[in-house]
Amino acid sequence: MENGIANLLGALSLAVMDRIEQGAREVVGRGGETPAALIVIGYGQGMTNDKLRRILGLSHSGTVRLVDRLVSDRLVERRAGKDGREVALHLTATGAAARNELLASRISAVTSLLDVMSPAERKQLATLIRELLARQDTSEMDRFTICRMCDDRVCTNCPLPTNKGQHAR
Amino acid sequence: MENGIANLLGALSLAVMDRIEQGAREVVGRGGETPAALIVIGYGQGMTNDKLRRILGLSHSGTVRLVDRLVSDRLVERRAGKDGREVALHLTATGAAARNELLASRISAVTSLLDVMSPAERKQLATLIRELLARQDTSEMDRFTICRMCDDRVCTNCPLPTNKGQHAR
DNA sequence: CCAGATATGTGCGCTACGCACATATTTCTG
DNA sequence: CAGAAATATGTGCGTAGCGCACATATCTGG
């Protein structure tokens, strides 16, 4: 059946995310979108509450409370934004350290599944996944959403297309 | 960088699970492990509360409450088990229908990401993922956990080291 | 200069889950 | 074969994470 591949990818994705989420919970002591929020804020482009909300796919109030948790955990600070309405989210030193741990934990979780493959197989798989992602029809915000856990220290050449509405940002 | 592949697989897995979970929530109106529970119970080997708990990776009480929700939604029935202590979980007709919808939604979600690939690329990817899964060092319960969302109507040849109908108590 | 858009914060409730405890049934001893 | 331990389920209570509706502050365009 042609759907066999869909089922296999579904199973693999579940296994991958189980491991990533377990590691993330151990590192930051929180679940849900909180780990992703820490990573996204760490990208450092003067993240606002509202932008974060759209990237994480949460409601507005859910995002405010999520940031409340990060602030009470001393991982994030709310600073004044350019616009008097906006809040600029910044990582504290502790937050930046936690973020690095989080990224390392994620890479390690995925690597532990991948290291049964030979270097040639890994290269082949990387090429296929890169193509798969590159051909997706993703909006600017979709791209941030998919990449909300991505390790910017490792992913120097993101395959996702940046041109859906033809103009970025 | 050697970790590029891990990051790519992590990003893809996140995208896949986002779509699967969104569809599952639309179908059953519940999140968390509830959709997986419906699928697992539907495998139909006289599932018990305790076995379900181990497959889903939840606490005991969490599982009891999860089953409570499924029962109150008229998707699952609690029947007497062989052992006087056990409860045998069975899908109602409504539950079986919801389960089929759920599986179809999952396959459709993954397929929508995959159909940018040519048949040859899909076949190549399937072979690699199958190998990746086949070489994992998984316990009996790990396999059920990884396969807790799997479509048994589609996955006739599970690559994980044990057939899924098998029960080792 | 004021109506609408934008951005954030709050009151309130709900879902999903865990811990500790209680209860019922088997199984395993001595 | 009686009692202890193991197994399986259910309950009281609390918490984390999130959404809806509403309130407030700031910016923008006619």
Side-chain angles (χ1 to χ4, degrees), chain B residues 30-33 58-59 61 65-66 69 83-85:
Chain B
R30 305 254 180 206
E33 292 298 326
L58 296 179
S59 71
S61 66
R65 300 290 149 75
L66 192 164
R69 289 193 296 272
D83 197 307
R85 296 166 292 188

Side-chain angles (χ1 to χ4, degrees), chain A residues 130-141:
Chain A
R130 182 173 286 274
E131 265 309 306
L132 195 163
L133 291 174
R135 294 181 197 163
Q136 300 300 314
D137 182 28
T138 50
S139 74
E140 181 75 10
M141 205 47 71

Side-chain angles (χ1 to χ4, degrees), chain A residues 1-2 44 50 52 61 107 147:
Chain A
M1 173 62 85
E2 186 48 48
D50 189 63
L52 184 62
S61 66
I107 293 295
C147 295

Side-chain angles (χ1 to χ4, degrees), chain B residues 33-34 37 56 58 61-71:
Chain B
E33 292 298 326
T34 307
L56 300 181
L58 296 179
S61 66
T63 308
V64 173
R65 300 290 149 75
L66 192 164
V67 173
D68 286 347
R69 289 193 296 272
L70 289 173
V71 168

Side-chain angles (χ1 to χ4, degrees), chain A residues 30-33 58-59 61 65-66 69 83-85:
Chain A
R30 304 248 180 214
E33 293 296 326
L58 296 179
S59 71
S61 66
R65 300 290 150 75
L66 192 163
R69 289 193 296 273
D83 197 307
R85 297 166 291 188

